[in-house]
Amino acid sequence: MSIKENLEKIKGSIPEQVTLVAVSKTKPVSDLQEAYEAGQRILGENKVQEMVDKWESLPKDIQWHMIGHVQRNKVKYMIDFVALIHGVDSFRLLKEINKRAKKADRTVDCLLQIHIAEEDTKFGLDKKELQEIVASEEFQKLENINIKGLMGMATLTDDENQVRREFRQLKSHFVELKTRLPEIDILSMGMSGDYKIAIEEGSTMVRIGSSIFGARK
Ligand SMILES: *Cc1c(COP(=O)(O)O)cnc(C)c1O
C-alpha cells in the first residue's frame, strides 16, 4: 500500500479528536513529501539534525514534533521552528529549552516524558521527579515554555495487559498533573503496535511510523 493509503487507513481507525503524528524518522524526504501531499501536516522526528535537514527542504506549514531524546546542546538548532517537544525528561533540558526559546523570542510547547515501561532502557521522569519539577519555584518562572501534557512509551511486548497497565498509569499521572496545571490537554501515547490500546486508555495524540511509512532498516 502507498503512504497515502496507509495514512487514510490509520486516520479511519482513530477518533477525530485524537491527533496523528506521522513519525518519519530515517525516511527520505520524498516519503515525507508524499505524506504532505496526502494532507498530513504533523511529522515526528527523533534526531535534531535530521529534523533540521528535512525542515529546510519541505513546505513551511508542516508542524515538526521532536519525539526523541534531546541533548541539551542540540536544542538551539531546532528552537526557531519546532512545534512540540515530546521528550522532555529532565529539568535541565526544560531550562535549556526555556533559555533558547527566550532568545528566539518565542514560547515553545513541551511535553514531559514519563517513564512507564518496565524496561529500564527508556528515558523519562519518574513520579517523584515530575512532582519535584512542577512544584519548584524555578519552574513557575519559566516563561518561554508551555507545558501541554505528558508523553510515554510502553514496554515492547506482546502482553497486552502489561501495555494497558502502563498506559493507564500514564493517564493517572496526567489526571493528577491536571489538578495543578489545568490547561494541559495532550497525552501522547501509542505507536504502530499499541495505539489502539493507548486510545482506549485515553491517548489524545498517537505517534505512528512504520504503519504509515513501512518498516525502518
Ligand atoms: C519511532 C518512534 C515512534 C513510532 O514507532 P512505530 O512503531 O514505527 O510506529 C513513536 N514514538 C517514538 C518516541 C519513536 O521513537
Side-chain angles (χ1 to χ4, degrees), residues 167-189:
F167 285 145
R168 207 165 275 181
Q169 196 191 334
L170 183 58
K171 167 80 187 207
S172 81
H173 291 318
F174 178 83
V175 169
E176 198 177 317
L177 183 63
K178 206 170 163 66
T179 62
R180 212 180 244 281
L181 306 175
E183 66 283 2
I184 62 169
D185 60 0
I186 299 177
L187 183 53
S188 167
M189 60 185 198

Side-chain angles (χ1 to χ4, degrees), residues 23 25 46 67-68 151 153 190-193 207-211 216:
V23 176
K25 63 189 186 195
N46 72 337
I67 62 165
M151 179 271 219
M153 286 167 89
M191 320 190 348
S192 293
R207 310 174 310 268
I208 298 182
S210 43
S211 293
R216 290 176 296 274

Side-chain angles (χ1 to χ4, degrees), residues 142-158:
L142 301 179
E143 288 185 336
N144 293 78
I145 51 105
N146 192 9
I147 300 294
K148 298 287 285 178
L150 298 178
M151 179 271 219
M153 286 167 89
T155 303
L156 263 182
T157 170
D158 290 335

Side-chain angles (χ1 to χ4, degrees), residues 32 76 85 92 136 213:
L32 282 66
K76 56 181 178 284
I85 302 176
R92 290 173 81 195
S136 74
F213 296 102

Side-chain angles (χ1 to χ4, degrees), residues 53-185:
D53 292 343
K54 287 171 170 174
W55 166 71
E56 282 171 350
S57 49
L58 283 159
K60 290 296 170 281
D61 61 340
I62 292 172
Q63 295 165 46
W64 293 94
H65 286 206
M66 174 43 62
I67 62 165
H69 178 67
V70 179
Q71 287 172 290
R72 274 174 293 134
N73 61 359
K74 301 279 173 64
V75 171
K76 56 181 178 284
Y77 302 115
M78 63 174 169
I79 204 70
D80 287 323
F81 69 91
V82 67
L84 181 65
I85 302 176
H86 290 235
V88 179
D89 59 0
S90 76
F91 200 14
R92 290 173 81 195
L93 174 59
L94 191 64
K95 286 187 278 192
E96 174 66 14
I97 296 167
N98 184 71
K99 183 176 123 190
R100 295 291 173 182
K102 189 172 181 158
K103 266 196 182 165
D105 198 23
R106 60 177 300 221
T107 302
V108 173
D109 289 345
C110 296
L111 303 178
L112 296 170
Q113 182 175 356
I114 308 299
H115 180 95
I116 49 168
E118 269 163 32
E119 315 159 85
D120 46 32
T121 50
K122 287 188 176 135
F123 296 101
L125 303 159
D126 62 30
K127 188 175 174 171
K128 185 158 165 278
E129 289 168 321
L130 172 65
Q131 286 170 340
E132 278 169 5
I133 290 175
V134 179
S136 74
E137 232 173 272
E138 218 180 338
F139 174 76
Q140 325 280 331
K141 289 189 192 135
L142 301 179
E143 288 185 336
N144 293 78
I145 51 105
N146 192 9
I147 300 294
K148 298 287 285 178
L150 298 178
M151 179 271 219
M153 286 167 89
T155 303
L156 263 182
T157 170
D158 290 335
D159 183 349
E160 277 198 20
N161 290 324
Q162 182 179 348
V163 170
R164 191 176 293 281
R165 226 172 25 244
E166 291 172 359
F167 285 145
R168 207 165 275 181
Q169 196 191 334
L170 183 58
K171 167 80 187 207
S172 81
H173 291 318
F174 178 83
V175 169
E176 198 177 317
L177 183 63
K178 206 170 163 66
T179 62
R180 212 180 244 281
L181 306 175
E183 66 283 2
I184 62 169
D185 60 0

